[in-house]
Amino acid sequence: MASKEWIIKPEDRPDDVTARLERAENILRTLERGEADAVLSRDGPRLVHSVEAVERERQIKLALEELVNTRALELIAARESRDVAEAATLAKSDFLSSMSHELRTPLNAILGFAQLLESGPTPLTPTQKHDIDQILGAGWYLLGLVNEILDLAQIDAGKIVLSWESVSLADVMLDCQCLVEPLAQRRGIAMRFPRFDIPYFVKGDRIRVKQTLINLLHNAIKYNKPEGSVSVECALATPDTIRIGVRDAGAGLTAEQLAQLFQPFNRLGRNAGTDEGTGIGLVVAKRLVELMGGTIGADSTVGVGSTFWIELGLTTAPPSIVREAAHAVPVQPPQLDGTPRNTVLYVEDNAANLDLVEELIKRRPDLSLLTATDGNLGIELARTCLPVVILMDINLPGMNGLQAMKALRADPTTERIPVIAVSAFAMPVDIKRALELGFFSYLTKPIKLNEFMAALDVAIKFSETKSPSVATKP
Amino acid sequence: MSAEEYRFRLFVAGDEPNSCLAEQNLRALCLTHLPNRHSIEVIDVLQEFEVALLAQIMVAPAVVMVAPRLVTLFGALTDQAKVLAALGLKGVDHQA
């Protein structure tokens, strides 16, 4: 087979590829026309009309043809792939956004109404409580699954945005401990957490670090032996990195199983029961850890147990450490002091969502609700009734929530009314855009009762502290 | 303006038929269109094939116009109009 070594080297022509293609074509034509006497290779010249050389000539022709075709295809492919890649990224992004919305909207109804039932005015019978717990449990689980899948898809599409912080390991560990205790107790697994004598801070996104650790802890609890234990161990891997290992006393993994670990929906043939966990946690964990510049891995001995570990870069403490205080905001109506009711305007086309908010507002004797099913009507009502706060669904028919918002801002009568966005679009890019446009705050569906009430209160307070005579600059 | 010197390197395969044709055609073309303004170096690839390889000639006959610009042509050079066009010689002043 004719080697490709001696075929077409760059000359002193500026337009390299085209010239080379032309040259190859010329040689081919010459051979085809029978105008060639000899062909040259590293081994020497061969006369074309000798039998041997005819075969060689055929090989040269094939090689040259292949070269011409390949290069032509390369040029076309390079041009096309750029366009295709751009289109694909755009399509993925749109798909993710609308999937996020489509999945969250019905979940909002399920979780919203179940929460209403649970916290309703009449006490529930034990059977009713049990049934509602089932609905809520399944609903939250489904939401968790949706979030994980969308997370994975988002990471794949290169769209995840992490915040770079100094994350206090001690704090994160404490949070994780609280979150996994219930599961550990249910399963009869003893948990051992490290004590931090000196504070360690890792470089990364706080929420994602927590997410990853919880995933590893859940797995360690699930894949354990009866009356087993889980130990979390921290040690410096290098002066700049720390290794956090989660050791379990489970059945252990074979080398083959270890190799398949970080693949989606591969539970390695093991059944972890119906508890939390969706089979894609490790894949997400791996991607997140790698996005934070760290590594993840596992060691195991069959019959003894496994240790799943992550290594993250160490950093110094942040300038001022603000502890997150987890407050439960009670769902109670505020004090009635005879003040007239404030009007809330909700612009939403989905009947179930409207029902839900109607029920929520019914629990607020200080508020009354106006509704509009499209943007134009919403603007009209806002102008005539001047509500104290507006709840705006983004995904409306015709004029969308963002456009309605712009119109409200542009009108001097309505520009000062705080508008809260309510939407099943939960992608960071959507939230960012909305806040930039002037939305007061952003509620994502499925709505959490407490968050909803709190957001309303903040907006109403904002409204009340602004006197009409003060001109606010946009 | 002084006349440009057209320099050619003709690679032939001994006295094989196409090579003889190529030499004939090249010389005729030069005499007609570039009298006294050309030089032709003939290289037999069967004798000096390393020279040919260095010049990246893979098939003979082939002619490389070295000056005034670099052009490579393969074959017997039978279509004179095409050859002239490729060498950029159409409309060249035939007088010395």
Side-chain angles (χ1 to χ4, degrees), chain B residues 76-90:
Chain B
L77 310 175
T78 39
D79 187 338
Q80 201 177 85
K82 263 211 181 125
V83 173
L84 284 172
L87 297 176
L89 284 175
K90 271 198 174 150

Side-chain angles (χ1 to χ4, degrees), chain B residues 15-33:
Chain B
D15 46 13
E16 294 290 310
N18 285 308
S19 301
C20 294
L21 263 179
E23 191 172 346
Q24 263 172 39
N25 288 328
L26 183 63
R27 293 204 185 275
L29 186 146
C30 287
L31 280 171
T32 315
H33 298 273

Side-chain angles (χ1 to χ4, degrees), chain A residues 6-13 23 26-27 30-31 33-49 60 64, chain B residues 12-13 15-20 45-47 49-50 52-53 55-61 70-78 82:
Chain A
W6 48 270
I7 288 186
I8 299 183
K9 293 189 177 52
E11 312 171 273
D12 34 356
R13 281 182 193 260
R23 203 179 146 90
N26 288 338
I27 294 175
T30 309
L31 287 164
R33 282 196 309 259
E35 287 187 23
D37 290 330
V39 290
L40 281 71
S41 72
R42 288 215 189 288
D43 313 320
R46 292 274 188 278
L47 289 180
V48 161
H49 64 61
I60 295 162
L64 283 170
Chain B
V12 296
D15 46 13
E16 294 290 310
N18 285 308
S19 301
C20 294
V45 303
L46 300 178
Q47 308 287 331
F49 91 94
E50 296 98 346
L53 273 188
Q56 291 156 33
I57 300 298
M58 287 159 276
V59 147
L70 191 60
V71 181
T72 306
L73 293 171
F74 301 93
L77 310 175
T78 39
K82 263 211 181 125

Side-chain angles (χ1 to χ4, degrees), chain A residues 269-292:
Chain A
R270 302 201 291 184
N271 189 7
T274 51
D275 262 324
E276 305 92 280
T278 55
I280 57 175
L282 273 182
V283 183
V284 177
K286 181 172 193 282
R287 306 267 175 97
L288 289 173
V289 165
E290 283 167 1
L291 276 175
M292 291 191 275

Side-chain angles (χ1 to χ4, degrees), chain A residues 6 25 54 68-70 115 118 120 146 152 236 263 300 311 317 319 325 350 356 388 452 469:
Chain A
W6 48 270
E25 257 186 272
V54 165
V68 169
N69 288 333
T70 319
Q115 284 178 94
E118 189 187 42
V146 166
L152 199 57
L236 286 176
Q263 290 171 13
S300 186
E311 274 177 26
N350 178 290
L356 177 59
V388 68
F452 177 81
S469 57

